[in-house]
Amino acid sequence: MPPLKISDAEWDVMQVVWTLKKATAAEVIDELAEAKEWNHRTIRTLLGRLVEKGALTAQTAGNRNVYKAAISRAQCVKLESSSFLEKIFGGDVNSLLAHFIRDPQVSAEDLAELQKLLDKQRKKN
């Protein structure tokens, strides 16, 4: 199976399903239609694409489908992180970390927390 590629719009749909654990199209529409200014057809199309990609499953319950995530949020984050790292930084983790560490929006508290995480990981390795 090729790596799962989820668009930004599909990610929004997945967030709703992950939060609700299972959802009908109507529930996803209720969550997203107003916030995203999407019509119900757009959301139904996104749900269908996510089923085709294997990110969601759909089971018929009466006259409607109930959608459940076929992949966890953590799995998607890992896939997206790997894709981002490869696409933007050529797979170079050092460049990625250096970029974010040098960002002026990163506070001293953020850097201290990052240092703790690095120290903890170093001990594990």
Side-chain angles (χ1 to χ4, degrees), residues 35-89:
K36 298 293 182 180
E37 297 182 3
W38 295 340
N39 69 42
H40 67 94
R41 285 186 296 266
T42 300
I43 296 168
R44 289 180 189 280
T45 297
L46 292 168
L47 287 165
R49 285 183 189 163
L50 288 164
V51 170
E52 287 175 17
K53 290 180 177 185
L56 291 178
T57 61
Q59 291 184 329
T60 303
N63 61 349
R64 56 182 140 176
N65 285 332
V66 176
Y67 297 93
K68 292 182 183 178
I71 185 168
S72 72
R73 186 179 191 287
Q75 290 170 307
C76 272
V77 167
K78 185 175 181 176
L79 290 170
E80 288 290 325
S81 297
S82 297
S83 174
F84 174 79
L85 178 64
E86 190 59 41
K87 181 169 60 173
I88 306 300
F89 294 98

Short mmCIF file of all heavy atoms in Angstrom, two decimals, residues 35-89:
data_model
loop_
_atom_site.label_atom_id
_atom_site.label_comp_id
_atom_site.label_asym_id
_atom_site.label_seq_id
_atom_site.Cartn_x
_atom_site.Cartn_y
_atom_site.Cartn_z
N ALA A 35 -18.01 26.16 10.16
CA ALA A 35 -16.64 26.60 10.45
C ALA A 35 -15.80 26.72 9.19
O ALA A 35 -14.98 27.63 9.06
CB ALA A 35 -15.99 25.64 11.43
N LYS A 36 -15.99 25.81 8.26
CA LYS A 36 -15.19 25.79 7.04
C LYS A 36 -15.91 26.40 5.84
O LYS A 36 -15.32 26.51 4.77
CB LYS A 36 -14.78 24.36 6.70
CG LYS A 36 -13.91 23.71 7.75
CD LYS A 36 -12.58 24.39 7.81
CE LYS A 36 -11.66 23.72 8.82
NZ LYS A 36 -10.37 24.37 8.89
N GLU A 37 -17.17 26.72 6.02
CA GLU A 37 -17.99 27.22 4.92
C GLU A 37 -18.02 26.25 3.74
O GLU A 37 -17.93 26.64 2.58
CB GLU A 37 -17.53 28.62 4.49
CG GLU A 37 -17.69 29.65 5.59
CD GLU A 37 -17.29 31.05 5.17
OE1 GLU A 37 -16.93 31.27 4.01
OE2 GLU A 37 -17.32 31.92 6.06
N TRP A 38 -18.10 24.96 4.07
CA TRP A 38 -18.21 23.91 3.07
C TRP A 38 -19.66 23.46 2.99
O TRP A 38 -20.36 23.41 4.00
CB TRP A 38 -17.37 22.70 3.44
CG TRP A 38 -15.89 22.92 3.47
CD1 TRP A 38 -15.19 23.92 2.86
CD2 TRP A 38 -14.93 22.11 4.15
NE1 TRP A 38 -13.85 23.77 3.11
CE2 TRP A 38 -13.66 22.67 3.90
CE3 TRP A 38 -15.02 20.98 4.94
CZ2 TRP A 38 -12.49 22.13 4.41
CZ3 TRP A 38 -13.86 20.44 5.45
CH2 TRP A 38 -12.60 21.02 5.18
N ASN A 39 -20.10 23.07 1.80
CA ASN A 39 -21.45 22.53 1.71
C ASN A 39 -21.40 21.02 1.98
O ASN A 39 -20.32 20.41 2.02
CB ASN A 39 -22.13 22.89 0.38
CG ASN A 39 -21.53 22.18 -0.81
OD1 ASN A 39 -21.22 20.99 -0.77
ND2 ASN A 39 -21.36 22.91 -1.91
N HIS A 40 -22.57 20.43 2.16
CA HIS A 40 -22.63 19.02 2.55
C HIS A 40 -22.03 18.11 1.48
O HIS A 40 -21.44 17.07 1.79
CB HIS A 40 -24.07 18.60 2.88
CG HIS A 40 -24.99 18.61 1.71
ND1 HIS A 40 -25.23 17.49 0.97
CD2 HIS A 40 -25.71 19.62 1.14
CE1 HIS A 40 -26.07 17.78 -0.01
NE2 HIS A 40 -26.38 19.07 0.07
N ARG A 41 -22.13 18.48 0.21
CA ARG A 41 -21.56 17.64 -0.87
C ARG A 41 -20.04 17.58 -0.76
O ARG A 41 -19.44 16.53 -0.99
CB ARG A 41 -22.00 18.17 -2.23
CG ARG A 41 -23.45 17.83 -2.56
CD ARG A 41 -23.79 18.25 -3.97
NE ARG A 41 -23.71 19.70 -4.15
CZ ARG A 41 -24.73 20.54 -4.04
NH1 ARG A 41 -25.94 20.07 -3.78
NH2 ARG A 41 -24.57 21.83 -4.20
N THR A 42 -19.43 18.70 -0.44
CA THR A 42 -17.98 18.73 -0.27
C THR A 42 -17.54 17.79 0.83
O THR A 42 -16.60 17.00 0.67
CB THR A 42 -17.50 20.17 0.05
OG1 THR A 42 -17.88 21.03 -1.02
CG2 THR A 42 -16.01 20.23 0.28
N ILE A 43 -18.23 17.82 1.95
CA ILE A 43 -17.87 16.98 3.09
C ILE A 43 -18.12 15.51 2.76
O ILE A 43 -17.29 14.65 3.08
CB ILE A 43 -18.63 17.43 4.35
CG1 ILE A 43 -18.16 18.85 4.72
CG2 ILE A 43 -18.42 16.45 5.51
CD1 ILE A 43 -18.99 19.55 5.77
N ARG A 44 -19.20 15.20 2.08
CA ARG A 44 -19.46 13.82 1.67
C ARG A 44 -18.39 13.32 0.69
O ARG A 44 -17.97 12.17 0.76
CB ARG A 44 -20.86 13.70 1.06
CG ARG A 44 -21.96 13.83 2.09
CD ARG A 44 -23.35 13.70 1.45
NE ARG A 44 -24.40 14.04 2.38
CZ ARG A 44 -24.89 13.22 3.31
NH1 ARG A 44 -24.40 12.00 3.44
NH2 ARG A 44 -25.85 13.62 4.11
N THR A 45 -17.94 14.20 -0.19
CA THR A 45 -16.86 13.84 -1.12
C THR A 45 -15.58 13.53 -0.35
O THR A 45 -14.89 12.55 -0.63
CB THR A 45 -16.62 14.97 -2.14
OG1 THR A 45 -17.80 15.14 -2.92
CG2 THR A 45 -15.44 14.66 -3.05
N LEU A 46 -15.26 14.37 0.64
CA LEU A 46 -14.06 14.14 1.46
C LEU A 46 -14.16 12.83 2.22
O LEU A 46 -13.18 12.07 2.30
CB LEU A 46 -13.84 15.31 2.41
CG LEU A 46 -13.46 16.64 1.75
CD1 LEU A 46 -13.55 17.79 2.75
CD2 LEU A 46 -12.08 16.56 1.14
N LEU A 47 -15.33 12.53 2.78
CA LEU A 47 -15.52 11.26 3.47
C LEU A 47 -15.29 10.09 2.51
O LEU A 47 -14.60 9.12 2.85
CB LEU A 47 -16.93 11.18 4.08
CG LEU A 47 -17.17 12.05 5.31
CD1 LEU A 47 -18.66 12.18 5.58
CD2 LEU A 47 -16.44 11.48 6.52
N GLY A 48 -15.84 10.18 1.31
CA GLY A 48 -15.67 9.13 0.31
C GLY A 48 -14.20 8.93 -0.06
O GLY A 48 -13.73 7.79 -0.18
N ARG A 49 -13.49 10.02 -0.24
CA ARG A 49 -12.06 9.94 -0.57
C ARG A 49 -11.27 9.26 0.56
O ARG A 49 -10.37 8.46 0.31
CB ARG A 49 -11.48 11.32 -0.81
CG ARG A 49 -11.87 11.92 -2.12
CD ARG A 49 -11.19 13.26 -2.29
NE ARG A 49 -11.72 13.95 -3.45
CZ ARG A 49 -11.57 15.25 -3.66
NH1 ARG A 49 -10.92 16.00 -2.79
NH2 ARG A 49 -12.08 15.80 -4.74
N LEU A 50 -11.61 9.60 1.80
CA LEU A 50 -10.91 9.01 2.93
C LEU A 50 -11.19 7.52 3.05
O LEU A 50 -10.31 6.75 3.44
CB LEU A 50 -11.26 9.76 4.22
CG LEU A 50 -10.64 11.16 4.31
CD1 LEU A 50 -11.33 11.99 5.37
CD2 LEU A 50 -9.14 11.05 4.58
N VAL A 51 -12.39 7.10 2.69
CA VAL A 51 -12.70 5.67 2.66
C VAL A 51 -11.89 5.00 1.56
O VAL A 51 -11.27 3.95 1.78
CB VAL A 51 -14.22 5.42 2.47
CG1 VAL A 51 -14.50 3.95 2.20
CG2 VAL A 51 -15.00 5.90 3.70
N GLU A 52 -11.84 5.60 0.38
CA GLU A 52 -11.06 5.05 -0.74
C GLU A 52 -9.58 4.93 -0.40
O GLU A 52 -8.93 3.97 -0.79
CB GLU A 52 -11.21 5.93 -1.98
CG GLU A 52 -12.55 5.84 -2.66
CD GLU A 52 -12.69 6.83 -3.81
OE1 GLU A 52 -11.66 7.36 -4.30
OE2 GLU A 52 -13.84 7.08 -4.23
N LYS A 53 -9.07 5.88 0.34
CA LYS A 53 -7.66 5.88 0.72
C LYS A 53 -7.36 4.90 1.86
O LYS A 53 -6.20 4.63 2.16
CB LYS A 53 -7.22 7.29 1.15
CG LYS A 53 -7.15 8.28 0.01
CD LYS A 53 -6.72 9.65 0.51
CE LYS A 53 -6.59 10.62 -0.64
NZ LYS A 53 -6.05 11.93 -0.21
N GLY A 54 -8.41 4.41 2.51
CA GLY A 54 -8.22 3.49 3.62
C GLY A 54 -8.03 4.17 4.96
O GLY A 54 -7.68 3.51 5.94
N ALA A 55 -8.26 5.47 5.03
CA ALA A 55 -8.11 6.20 6.29
C ALA A 55 -9.36 6.05 7.16
O ALA A 55 -9.27 6.12 8.38
CB ALA A 55 -7.85 7.68 6.03
N LEU A 56 -10.52 5.86 6.52
CA LEU A 56 -11.78 5.65 7.22
C LEU A 56 -12.42 4.36 6.74
O LEU A 56 -12.19 3.92 5.62
CB LEU A 56 -12.77 6.79 6.91
CG LEU A 56 -12.49 8.18 7.45
CD1 LEU A 56 -13.57 9.15 6.98
CD2 LEU A 56 -12.41 8.18 8.97
N THR A 57 -13.23 3.78 7.61
CA THR A 57 -14.12 2.70 7.20
C THR A 57 -15.54 3.24 7.26
O THR A 57 -15.82 4.18 8.00
CB THR A 57 -14.01 1.47 8.14
OG1 THR A 57 -14.39 1.86 9.46
CG2 THR A 57 -12.59 0.91 8.14
N ALA A 58 -16.40 2.63 6.47
CA ALA A 58 -17.81 3.04 6.46
C ALA A 58 -18.66 1.79 6.58
O ALA A 58 -18.51 0.85 5.81
CB ALA A 58 -18.15 3.79 5.19
N GLN A 59 -19.53 1.79 7.59
CA GLN A 59 -20.47 0.68 7.78
C GLN A 59 -21.88 1.24 7.67
O GLN A 59 -22.18 2.29 8.25
CB GLN A 59 -20.27 0.01 9.13
CG GLN A 59 -18.97 -0.75 9.23
CD GLN A 59 -18.85 -1.48 10.55
OE1 GLN A 59 -19.37 -1.04 11.57
NE2 GLN A 59 -18.14 -2.60 10.53
N THR A 60 -22.71 0.53 6.93
CA THR A 60 -24.09 0.97 6.77
C THR A 60 -24.89 0.65 8.02
O THR A 60 -24.85 -0.47 8.53
CB THR A 60 -24.74 0.30 5.54
OG1 THR A 60 -23.94 0.59 4.41
CG2 THR A 60 -26.14 0.81 5.31
N ALA A 61 -25.60 1.64 8.53
CA ALA A 61 -26.49 1.49 9.68
C ALA A 61 -27.81 2.13 9.29
O ALA A 61 -27.93 3.36 9.26
CB ALA A 61 -25.90 2.16 10.91
N GLY A 62 -28.76 1.30 8.94
CA GLY A 62 -30.03 1.83 8.44
C GLY A 62 -29.82 2.42 7.07
O GLY A 62 -29.31 1.77 6.17
N ASN A 63 -30.15 3.69 6.92
CA ASN A 63 -29.98 4.33 5.62
C ASN A 63 -28.79 5.30 5.58
O ASN A 63 -28.72 6.17 4.73
CB ASN A 63 -31.27 5.08 5.24
CG ASN A 63 -31.61 6.17 6.23
OD1 ASN A 63 -31.02 6.26 7.30
ND2 ASN A 63 -32.57 7.01 5.88
N ARG A 64 -27.87 5.14 6.51
CA ARG A 64 -26.70 6.02 6.52
C ARG A 64 -25.43 5.25 6.85
O ARG A 64 -25.48 4.15 7.40
CB ARG A 64 -26.90 7.17 7.49
CG ARG A 64 -27.20 6.74 8.90
CD ARG A 64 -27.42 7.95 9.76
NE ARG A 64 -28.51 7.69 10.68
CZ ARG A 64 -28.89 8.51 11.60
NH1 ARG A 64 -28.28 9.66 11.74
NH2 ARG A 64 -29.88 8.23 12.39
N ASN A 65 -24.31 5.85 6.50
CA ASN A 65 -23.01 5.27 6.81
C ASN A 65 -22.50 5.81 8.14
O ASN A 65 -22.70 6.98 8.46
CB ASN A 65 -21.98 5.60 5.72
CG ASN A 65 -22.18 4.80 4.47
OD1 ASN A 65 -22.69 3.68 4.51
ND2 ASN A 65 -21.79 5.35 3.34
N VAL A 66 -21.84 4.93 8.87
CA VAL A 66 -21.15 5.34 10.09
C VAL A 66 -19.66 5.19 9.80
O VAL A 66 -19.19 4.11 9.42
CB VAL A 66 -21.57 4.48 11.30
CG1 VAL A 66 -20.76 4.86 12.53
CG2 VAL A 66 -23.07 4.62 11.56
N TYR A 67 -18.94 6.29 9.97
CA TYR A 67 -17.52 6.32 9.65
C TYR A 67 -16.68 6.16 10.92
O TYR A 67 -16.99 6.74 11.95
CB TYR A 67 -17.17 7.65 8.96
CG TYR A 67 -17.88 7.82 7.65
CD1 TYR A 67 -19.11 8.48 7.59
CD2 TYR A 67 -17.35 7.30 6.48
CE1 TYR A 67 -19.78 8.63 6.38
CE2 TYR A 67 -18.01 7.44 5.27
CZ TYR A 67 -19.22 8.10 5.23
OH TYR A 67 -19.89 8.24 4.04
N LYS A 68 -15.63 5.37 10.79
CA LYS A 68 -14.66 5.19 11.87
C LYS A 68 -13.27 5.31 11.28
O LYS A 68 -13.04 4.94 10.12
CB LYS A 68 -14.81 3.81 12.52
CG LYS A 68 -16.09 3.62 13.29
CD LYS A 68 -16.11 2.24 13.93
CE LYS A 68 -17.43 2.00 14.64
NZ LYS A 68 -17.50 0.67 15.24
N ALA A 69 -12.34 5.78 12.08
CA ALA A 69 -10.96 5.90 11.62
C ALA A 69 -10.35 4.51 11.47
O ALA A 69 -10.48 3.67 12.36
CB ALA A 69 -10.15 6.73 12.60
N ALA A 70 -9.68 4.30 10.35
CA ALA A 70 -8.96 3.05 10.12
C ALA A 70 -7.48 3.22 10.46
O ALA A 70 -6.72 2.26 10.48
CB ALA A 70 -9.11 2.61 8.67
N ILE A 71 -7.10 4.45 10.75
CA ILE A 71 -5.73 4.78 11.12
C ILE A 71 -5.81 5.77 12.28
O ILE A 71 -6.67 6.64 12.30
CB ILE A 71 -4.95 5.35 9.91
CG1 ILE A 71 -3.49 5.58 10.25
CG2 ILE A 71 -5.61 6.59 9.36
CD1 ILE A 71 -2.62 5.87 9.04
N SER A 72 -4.94 5.60 13.24
CA SER A 72 -4.97 6.48 14.40
C SER A 72 -4.37 7.85 14.08
O SER A 72 -3.63 8.01 13.11
CB SER A 72 -4.19 5.86 15.57
OG SER A 72 -2.80 5.90 15.30
N ARG A 73 -4.72 8.80 14.92
CA ARG A 73 -4.15 10.14 14.76
C ARG A 73 -2.63 10.07 14.88
O ARG A 73 -1.92 10.70 14.10
CB ARG A 73 -4.73 11.09 15.81
CG ARG A 73 -4.30 12.51 15.61
CD ARG A 73 -4.92 13.46 16.65
NE ARG A 73 -4.70 14.83 16.32
CZ ARG A 73 -3.53 15.45 16.42
NH1 ARG A 73 -2.47 14.81 16.83
NH2 ARG A 73 -3.41 16.73 16.09
N ALA A 74 -2.13 9.29 15.83
CA ALA A 74 -0.68 9.17 16.02
C ALA A 74 0.00 8.61 14.77
O ALA A 74 1.08 9.07 14.39
CB ALA A 74 -0.39 8.29 17.23
N GLN A 75 -0.63 7.63 14.12
CA GLN A 75 -0.07 7.08 12.89
C GLN A 75 -0.04 8.13 11.79
O GLN A 75 0.94 8.23 11.05
CB GLN A 75 -0.88 5.86 12.42
CG GLN A 75 -0.73 4.64 13.31
CD GLN A 75 -1.74 3.56 12.95
OE1 GLN A 75 -2.93 3.81 12.89
NE2 GLN A 75 -1.23 2.36 12.71
N CYS A 76 -1.11 8.90 11.68
CA CYS A 76 -1.15 9.97 10.67
C CYS A 76 -0.11 11.04 10.94
O CYS A 76 0.54 11.52 10.02
CB CYS A 76 -2.54 10.61 10.62
SG CYS A 76 -3.66 9.78 9.50
N VAL A 77 0.05 11.41 12.20
CA VAL A 77 1.06 12.41 12.56
C VAL A 77 2.45 11.91 12.17
O VAL A 77 3.25 12.64 11.59
CB VAL A 77 0.98 12.77 14.06
CG1 VAL A 77 2.20 13.56 14.50
CG2 VAL A 77 -0.30 13.54 14.35
N LYS A 78 2.71 10.64 12.45
CA LYS A 78 4.02 10.06 12.12
C LYS A 78 4.25 10.09 10.61
O LYS A 78 5.32 10.48 10.15
CB LYS A 78 4.12 8.64 12.65
CG LYS A 78 5.47 8.02 12.44
CD LYS A 78 5.59 6.66 13.08
CE LYS A 78 6.98 6.11 12.85
NZ LYS A 78 7.20 4.84 13.50
N LEU A 79 3.24 9.69 9.84
CA LEU A 79 3.37 9.70 8.38
C LEU A 79 3.55 11.12 7.85
O LEU A 79 4.40 11.37 6.99
CB LEU A 79 2.13 9.07 7.74
CG LEU A 79 1.97 7.57 7.91
CD1 LEU A 79 0.59 7.12 7.44
CD2 LEU A 79 3.05 6.82 7.15
N GLU A 80 2.75 12.05 8.36
CA GLU A 80 2.85 13.44 7.91
C GLU A 80 4.20 14.04 8.31
O GLU A 80 4.79 14.79 7.53
CB GLU A 80 1.72 14.28 8.51
CG GLU A 80 0.37 13.98 7.92
CD GLU A 80 0.20 14.44 6.49
OE1 GLU A 80 0.75 15.50 6.11
OE2 GLU A 80 -0.48 13.74 5.73
N SER A 81 4.69 13.71 9.50
CA SER A 81 5.98 14.23 9.95
C SER A 81 7.10 13.75 9.05
O SER A 81 7.98 14.52 8.66
CB SER A 81 6.25 13.80 11.39
OG SER A 81 5.30 14.33 12.26
N SER A 82 7.06 12.47 8.72
CA SER A 82 8.08 11.90 7.84
C SER A 82 8.04 12.55 6.47
O SER A 82 9.08 12.88 5.89
CB SER A 82 7.90 10.39 7.70
OG SER A 82 8.08 9.76 8.94
N SER A 83 6.84 12.73 5.95
CA SER A 83 6.66 13.36 4.64
C SER A 83 7.18 14.79 4.66
O SER A 83 7.89 15.23 3.75
CB SER A 83 5.19 13.31 4.24
OG SER A 83 4.97 14.02 3.05
N PHE A 84 6.81 15.54 5.70
CA PHE A 84 7.25 16.93 5.85
C PHE A 84 8.77 17.00 5.95
O PHE A 84 9.41 17.81 5.27
CB PHE A 84 6.60 17.53 7.10
CG PHE A 84 7.08 18.91 7.44
CD1 PHE A 84 6.58 20.02 6.76
CD2 PHE A 84 8.01 19.12 8.44
CE1 PHE A 84 7.01 21.30 7.06
CE2 PHE A 84 8.45 20.39 8.75
CZ PHE A 84 7.95 21.49 8.07
N LEU A 85 9.36 16.16 6.77
CA LEU A 85 10.81 16.15 6.96
C LEU A 85 11.51 15.88 5.63
O LEU A 85 12.47 16.58 5.28
CB LEU A 85 11.20 15.09 7.99
CG LEU A 85 12.69 14.92 8.25
CD1 LEU A 85 13.29 16.20 8.84
CD2 LEU A 85 12.92 13.74 9.19
N GLU A 86 11.02 14.91 4.89
CA GLU A 86 11.64 14.57 3.61
C GLU A 86 11.45 15.68 2.58
O GLU A 86 12.39 16.08 1.90
CB GLU A 86 11.05 13.25 3.09
CG GLU A 86 11.79 12.68 1.91
CD GLU A 86 13.27 12.39 2.17
OE1 GLU A 86 13.61 11.89 3.26
OE2 GLU A 86 14.08 12.70 1.29
N LYS A 87 10.23 16.20 2.48
CA LYS A 87 9.92 17.20 1.45
C LYS A 87 10.62 18.53 1.72
O LYS A 87 11.18 19.14 0.82
CB LYS A 87 8.40 17.40 1.38
CG LYS A 87 7.97 18.42 0.34
CD LYS A 87 6.49 18.44 0.07
CE LYS A 87 5.66 18.76 1.26
NZ LYS A 87 4.23 18.91 0.95
N ILE A 88 10.58 19.00 2.95
CA ILE A 88 11.08 20.34 3.26
C ILE A 88 12.57 20.35 3.61
O ILE A 88 13.29 21.27 3.24
CB ILE A 88 10.26 20.97 4.41
CG1 ILE A 88 8.77 20.97 4.10
CG2 ILE A 88 10.75 22.38 4.74
CD1 ILE A 88 8.37 21.74 2.85
N PHE A 89 13.03 19.33 4.32
CA PHE A 89 14.41 19.33 4.81
C PHE A 89 15.25 18.20 4.24
O PHE A 89 16.34 17.92 4.74
CB PHE A 89 14.42 19.28 6.35
CG PHE A 89 13.84 20.51 6.97
CD1 PHE A 89 12.52 20.52 7.40
CD2 PHE A 89 14.58 21.66 7.12
CE1 PHE A 89 11.96 21.66 7.97
CE2 PHE A 89 14.04 22.80 7.68
CZ PHE A 89 12.73 22.81 8.11
#
